[in-house]
Amino acid sequence: MNILVLNCGSSSLKFQIIETDLDLIEKNADVQKAKGLVERIGSQSLVTLQAAGKAPLKQAAGLRDHRAALDYVVRWIISPEAMVPGVRSLADIHAVGHRVVHGAEKFTKSVVIDEAVIRGIEDCIDLAPLHNPANLKGITSAHELLGPGVPQVAVFDTSFHSTMPETAYLYAIPYQLYRRHKIRRYGFHGTSHRYVAYRYRQLAGKEFEDTNLITLHLGNGCSACAIKKGASVDTSMGLTPLEGLVMGTRGGDMDPAVLEYLWHKEAMTMAEIDAMLNKQSGLLGLSGLTNDMRELLDEEREHKDRRATLAIEIFCQRIRKYIGAYLAEMGGADAIVFTGGIGENSAPIRQRVCTGLEWLGIEVDAEINAKLVGKEGEITQSGSRVRTFVIPTNEELLIARDTVRCVRNVPRRW
Ligand code: ADP
């Protein structure tokens, strides 16, 4: 089946065409046929389109909303110019898989989208006011453009973490607030943590029940996940993606009293505080320079910038803190997995995170680590008790596979 995978943000749309099916999943032989991105939807949009094995095409277009953006993308996909193998008309797009950010407690698995699922995603809007409405726009646009005969599947960022026990997901605030408003930790990046756990199983030759590891998704957003017997038992993001690790522009864990203090001292509104916490904090806030880890590492190397170093050190220290906490919580783990733009590509950050953790049995081979950039592999020193892996994430592939499994009604976990 040719699956159109869609990831709609508030002003962006990312897509891939992936051919997959039950036999291809079994053989790990799925084929990525095209991918692309529309940015700045609503004004002069920037469109990047790329058929597999070809150079990317960059175009400008006036695309007023997500429907117009998807229409543009789909026209290109089926055009002779794109030459996407096996995709000549709308009828060659067999199903659509959507990344949906928040499924709250309603959605613990990927599901075929119907009216009730749409209402369920709408019910979660309060918890993800920027993301879920954009995801819904993607769903309605695909329905209008491809017709009701093309099945659509929702794959939630939260559902992998639905196995967390109460002890991990409850905040220690009055219990009735959980009952009344479902205020609790949900966690995000679930598709990424789940994908790298699956690849780890393949690389390490482990069964589901023997999958005990800590996965570190380090991109613009960052989160850690404790996986025991194949299931998420704790993760660093909470009710929203603000909690946990230091990220590009989010600060992660902090004393909630800071908010009231800021409100007094800086006369900031809640909207301003929210924007500050989401967009001006983290690596950007600490360094005063950038949210891009590459640039921070360059600044540190070339100009010995003190605040660049500080931002990098705090970023790594917070990760170490979570590794220690999760090892204690899980009673040990067999492996650590690095993924996301930073985790996959930055050997210096991986090295800095793991330095000092040798006593826990986490020993990285500096030479192997330095050479492993953007590809899958193990960076463990021989004799290390805990193995360390780099595994590039592939959320789109998992969304395509879940779409096939849902459409074919094959039972699956999450
Ligand atoms: P997103 O979370 O938006 O999907 P990515 O997973 O692509 O983001 O990660 C983006 C981050 O990865 C940026 O901070 C970027 O600086 C960082 N990154 C990418 N390549 C490197 C590299 N070689 N060294 C350090 N950081 C890198």
Side-chain angles (χ1 to χ4, degrees), residues 46 105 166 273:
L46 283 174
E105 289 184 345
E166 268 182 326
I273 293 175

Side-chain angles (χ1 to χ4, degrees), residues 11-67:
S11 65
S12 67
L13 179 156
K14 277 193 208 162
F15 75 91
Q16 287 199 13
I17 294 280
I18 297 176
E19 183 184 353
T20 184
D21 217 324
L22 300 178
D23 55 333
L24 295 176
I25 296 174
E26 194 67 37
K27 289 185 262 172
N28 204 10
D30 333 58
V31 186
Q32 191 227 57
K33 294 181 164 180
K35 65 176 180 179
L37 165 69
V38 185
E39 296 163 278
R40 291 203 235 136
I41 294 172
S43 61
Q44 191 59 14
S45 309
L46 283 174
V47 187
T48 310
L49 305 163
Q50 186 172 19
K54 307 249 178 66
L57 290 170
K58 297 214 180 254
Q59 300 171 350
L63 301 171
R64 66 184 181 287
D65 55 19
H66 284 80
R67 191 185 187 285

Side-chain angles (χ1 to χ4, degrees), residues 2 17 33 77-79 83-90 92-93:
N2 291 317
I17 294 280
K33 294 181 164 180
I77 291 170
I78 61 173
S79 69
M83 291 205 300
V84 179
V87 185
R88 286 280 165 275
S89 72
L90 288 184
D92 297 322
I93 298 175

